[in-house]
Amino acid sequence: MFSGGYLGRLLRINLTTRQYSIETIPDEKLRLFLGARGLGAEWYAREVSPQVKPLDPENKMAFFVGPMTGTPLVSTTKFELTTKGLETGRYLCSNSSGNFGPRLREAGFDGLILEGVSKCWTALVIEKEDVKFLDDDGWQGLEPMEARARLLGQLPDRKPKWATMSIGPAAENRVAFSSIFVDDGRAFGRGGGGAVLASKKVKAMAVWGDVPVPLADAAMCKEIAKNANIDLKTSRAKHRELGTAQLVEPINALGCMPTRNFQTSWELPEKVQGVYGQTLHDQYHVRNYACYRCSVACGQMGEVKEGPFAGAKARPEFESIGLLGPSCGINDMGAVIAANELCDQLGMDTITAGNLVAMTMELFERGLVSAQDNDGLEVRFGDGQALLEMLRFIAQRRGLGAIIADGARGIIQARPEWGKYILQSKFMTFAAYDPRGFHGMGLAYATSVRGACHNVGGYTVSEELMGKKYDRYAVEGKGQLVKTLQDNRAYIDSLGLCTVVRGAYKFSTAPTPETMLAITGYNFAPELMTIGERISNLERQIMVREGITRQDDALPPRMSEAVTNGPAEGHFISNQMLDVMLDEYYAVRGWDAQGHPRPETLEKLGLAEIPALV
Ligand code: SF4
């Protein structure tokens, strides 16, 4: 069926027995689920039972690439982690850039599965079809980049270079939102994959191979790559100049910026411009950072040159800035860079970490906790030093950090009265957008399969805030909008391509055929949106199997409170408004009133055949 793009091989490693095997992925499965996120969901449905808990030895982890991953086209860097995540306790899909996905392909595989638990701390080394374990007590306690350096120090030089993954102390301490770092700068940030890898006693992994991914039409791929580069030079020029940090100013100006733990959604410009993208660019920028074969190079490496945070270096993205910045009452890019760097060193997700420190600050502000409860540390809005110290407390499970390290799910269990101060859906915390300023984002958070997520849930920013077609405060029409965006994103996440560049390949809701034809020799274009819909329904059915109902497609109580200032003043999303959006969304999805996919919907999408789901 395919004359390129796929290797059709999967490497399965049993960490308990240290045996490994190579399996074949049938063409028909590749056609139905495309790759990366789609293959991960299909695998999870068959191999991870609803009863398994995230840190159980029976939990497994899969890393799948897409047909574009590692091809000579621009930004073909993405691969997908699928597992039961510690943050939500349910299905987790998470994607990352970096060289690991491309190098896994060059080693000869479209996927890697880890199962069981190693008898001691180890690092995995995959060199083509050879798998080695580097056992060593010295792995424990290292930061992700220290573990990477230590691992690379034990490996021979290779061309191309080894690609790595590694975890930090937060993962070892089972922080529910600990991440897995890829190479020296990207991560599976959300959902707690780091703690799952730590539960398997794998501190780091390296992969190497040098066999190029086969292409159906190499000359056409070269031509498409050339044209994409020309397109991106202009279409993504601002991204190159300011990165995602460019969003801070407009999102605040539109009244959608989480401010002091979402107590409001807007701040006076002079109280937020210290964390604008332009400020990062003018005062802190030292160089751009590019993922694998990416000409956009949107990463903005910043360095603090003076003041209390001098010497700190990080590449803060918009989400990290929003949640470690304004949501914590911080108007100092130096503090944000230092907090971002610390999260990277500890190995924690900046989004959830920022949210939960902001929650802690609000608990202090309301007098619900005191320094006595927190090992002597006061954590107040606007205090950058306290922000950093609280991040350390979380990773070390010290003071209130002992509770906060368990994420929204653990906090709500231990201290239900704090639940209303956590901005979350299905136990994953909000991204840096306040949906009271654009209600489709509320529906996206509520229905996102992995919990509140602006990407998986549907990135409505362009349509609701930047475009003219939608009234951002309307609830009608948002069900169809969110469904379409979710399905579009599901197929993009399955290609192995960075979403930032998808326009250059015309991977819209009406994709054109040339790119996938050149890579695989198969005309995927007419099927891509259906593949996205298939993946969305498969993931929903997995969540239904794990106990999700309509009640879980919810927003936290703060969303029912009117915004108190700024352009979105007076706006809110009541439960009734969410119900209107959910009714429309379920109807266009072909789900029943409880949000369960109807049998005929599963049948239509070819999902009725997956026995574990029915
Ligand atoms: S656009 Fe940015 S995030 Fe995407 S591949 Fe390029 S550098 Fe990485």
Side-chain angles (χ1 to χ4, degrees):
M1 187 180 295
F2 306 112
S3 49
Y6 291 108
L7 304 162
R9 284 165 26 118
L10 177 69
L11 177 63
R12 184 185 293 268
I13 302 175
N14 186 311
L15 299 163
T16 309
T17 63
R18 303 213 160 177
Q19 304 288 307
Y20 58 94
S21 57
I22 295 169
E23 298 167 17
T24 302
I25 310 173
D27 275 6
E28 183 59 8
K29 191 177 287 184
L30 298 170
R31 188 184 72 80
L32 288 173
F33 297 99
L34 192 57
R37 183 169 151 195
L39 284 181
E42 194 277 340
W43 161 82
Y44 184 99
R46 286 182 292 106
E47 295 204 16
V48 182
S49 96
Q51 285 75 36
V52 166
K53 296 201 167 45
L55 304 183
D56 284 352
E58 292 77 20
N59 193 14
K60 301 182 185 183
M61 307 181 85
F63 300 89
F64 279 103
V65 302
M68 293 189 78
T69 312
T71 61
L73 282 79
V74 190
S75 312
T76 49
T77 171
K78 294 284 184 180
F79 68 127
E80 192 87 10
L81 161 66
T82 314
T83 189
K84 190 162 285 183
L86 186 57
E87 186 164 8
T88 67
R90 299 187 180 112
Y91 170 81
L92 170 68
C93 58
S94 176
N95 78 34
S96 176
S97 308
N99 291 327
F100 198 99
R103 204 83 348 114
L104 185 66
R105 296 267 268 171
E106 288 161 358
F109 303 105
D110 286 338
L112 164 67
I113 291 173
L114 302 182
E115 51 190 37
V117 176
S118 169
K119 62 182 189 295
C120 58
W121 280 100
T122 195
L124 270 179
V125 180
I126 302 162
E127 187 170 8
K128 296 195 173 172
E129 293 187 4
D130 188 36
V131 178
K132 286 195 182 68
F133 294 80
L134 301 180
D135 295 345
D136 187 343
D137 283 345
W139 292 120
Q140 267 182 284
L142 298 180
E143 294 172 4
M145 290 311 107
E146 291 172 339
R148 170 178 154 84
R150 193 168 196 272
L151 176 55
L152 290 175
Q154 297 179 41
L155 299 175
D157 282 344
R158 287 275 187 267
K159 215 171 162 200
K161 290 182 176 158
W162 293 90
T164 63
M165 288 196 256
S166 52
I167 55 173
E172 291 178 34
N173 289 337
R174 307 294 195 263
V175 173
F177 42 96
S178 50
S179 308
I180 300 174
F181 286 73
V182 181
D183 295 326
D184 62 349
R186 293 297 185 191
F188 292 106
R190 306 222 70 193
V196 179
L197 193 57
S199 76
K200 303 200 167 300
K201 289 203 164 67
V202 175
K203 181 71 181 181
M205 289 187 258
V207 65
W208 185 82
D210 61 355
V211 180
V213 177
L215 299 169
D217 186 340
M220 183 55 74
C221 283
K222 209 169 161 190
E223 187 65 19
I224 291 169
K226 190 179 93 190
N227 291 336
N229 266 321
I230 294 168
D231 175 303
L232 292 168
K233 245 190 198 121
T234 47
S235 66
R236 287 298 175 184
K238 190 95 186 268
H239 232 74
R240 179 175 176 77
E241 188 194 348
L242 297 180
T244 53
Q246 67 184 285
L247 286 168
V248 177
E249 185 174 358
I251 292 300
N252 184 60
L254 286 159
C256 303
M257 175 60 77
T259 304
R260 293 183 297 283
N261 198 31
F262 290 78
Q263 291 186 78
T264 188
S265 67
W266 177 78
E267 186 56 278
L268 286 167
E270 59 267 32
K271 290 191 177 170
V272 73
Q273 64 195 15
V275 295
Y276 280 177
Q278 198 64 50
T279 307
L280 174 62
H281 179 267
D282 294 346
Q283 298 176 28
Y284 299 89
H285 180 262
V286 284
R287 64 182 166 84
N288 280 50
Y289 175 96
C291 300
Y292 176 86
R293 286 189 175 152
C294 182
S295 56
V296 180
C298 73
Q300 307 290 309
M301 177 58 82
E303 181 175 359
V304 188
K305 288 154 194 137
E306 55 191 21
F309 307 107
K313 282 186 205 161
R315 287 181 295 100
E317 301 287 346
F318 166 72
E319 306 298 337
S320 312
I321 297 171
L323 293 157
L324 295 167
S327 200
C328 289
I330 304 271
N331 183 27
D332 173 4
M333 187 59 86
V336 169
I337 289 173
N340 196 140
E341 179 186 55
L342 186 56
C343 284
D344 292 349
Q345 290 165 342
L346 298 168
M348 294 194 302
D349 171 30
T350 51
I351 296 179
T352 295
N355 265 296
L356 296 182
V357 174
M359 173 208 73
T360 312
M361 289 171 166
E362 186 173 349
L363 294 177
F364 270 92
E365 184 179 76
R366 291 179 181 275
L368 297 173
V369 296
S370 69
Q372 264 188 336
D373 304 310
N374 197 30
D375 226 354
L377 177 69
E378 278 221 2
V379 190
R380 299 277 176 188
F381 284 116
D383 185 341
Q385 295 287 7
L387 163 64
L388 264 63
E389 204 50 27
M390 195 62 224
L391 292 172
R392 288 191 193 94
F393 273 31
I394 292 169
Q396 295 161 0
R397 291 184 167 271
R398 188 175 154 198
L400 291 172
I403 300 172
I404 295 167
D406 289 331
R409 188 163 63 105
I411 297 169
I412 290 168
Q413 234 171 31
R415 302 299 296 263
E417 69 278 17
W418 294 356
K420 62 183 170 187
Y421 305 114
I422 308 175
L423 279 295
Q424 56 86 26
S425 182
K426 298 187 186 73
F427 304 129
M428 189 172 277
T429 56
F430 280 16
Y433 303 99
D434 190 327
R436 289 173 295 183
F438 56 132
H439 297 344
M441 184 56 81
L443 181 64
Y445 283 163
T447 58
S448 164
V449 70
R450 67 177 190 172
C453 173
H454 57 299
N455 287 322
V456 171
Y459 191 70
T460 66
V461 173
S462 312
E463 282 77 5
E464 288 192 287
L465 293 181
M466 311 299 178
K468 298 260 178 275
K469 192 172 161 198
Y470 290 90
D471 171 357
R472 61 177 166 142
Y473 300 117
V475 289
E476 293 77 16
K478 301 297 168 70
Q480 179 65 60
L481 171 67
V482 166
K483 177 210 181 272
T484 303
L485 292 172
Q486 288 176 349
D487 294 348
N488 191 186
R489 180 69 192 220
Y491 93 67
I492 298 283
D493 283 346
S494 303
L495 286 171
L497 179 72
C498 174
T499 186
V500 172
V501 306
R502 63 180 163 188
Y505 297 106
K506 313 216 169 26
F507 284 131
S508 63
T509 53
T512 55
E514 57 279 356
T515 303
M516 289 305 284
L517 262 176
I519 293 173
T520 67
Y522 180 80
N523 185 12
F524 266 107
E527 298 172 32
L528 285 175
M529 282 302 286
T530 305
I531 290 172
E533 187 177 9
R534 181 177 298 124
I535 295 165
S536 296
N537 277 272
L538 171 59
E539 291 177 326
R540 179 68 179 195
Q541 192 65 0
I542 288 169
M543 290 295 272
V544 168
R545 194 177 69 171
E546 294 186 356
I548 286 292
T549 68
R550 184 183 183 117
Q551 280 66 44
D552 299 286
D553 291 340
L555 294 172
R558 178 145 294 163
M559 292 298 102
S560 303
E561 299 165 9
V563 174
T564 53
N565 66 0
E569 185 174 349
H571 289 280
F572 57 88
I573 306 177
S574 66
N575 289 339
Q576 290 80 359
M577 291 161 75
L578 180 61
D579 272 338
V580 172
M581 292 195 282
L582 281 177
D583 285 343
E584 180 192 321
Y585 174 80
Y586 291 166
V588 294
R589 276 240 171 265
W591 297 355
D592 67 19
Q594 276 305 305
H596 297 176
R598 294 182 188 280
E600 57 270 29
T601 305
L602 297 177
E603 180 80 40
K604 179 188 83 176
L605 294 167
L607 294 172
E609 304 302 315
I610 298 182
L613 288 178
V614 288

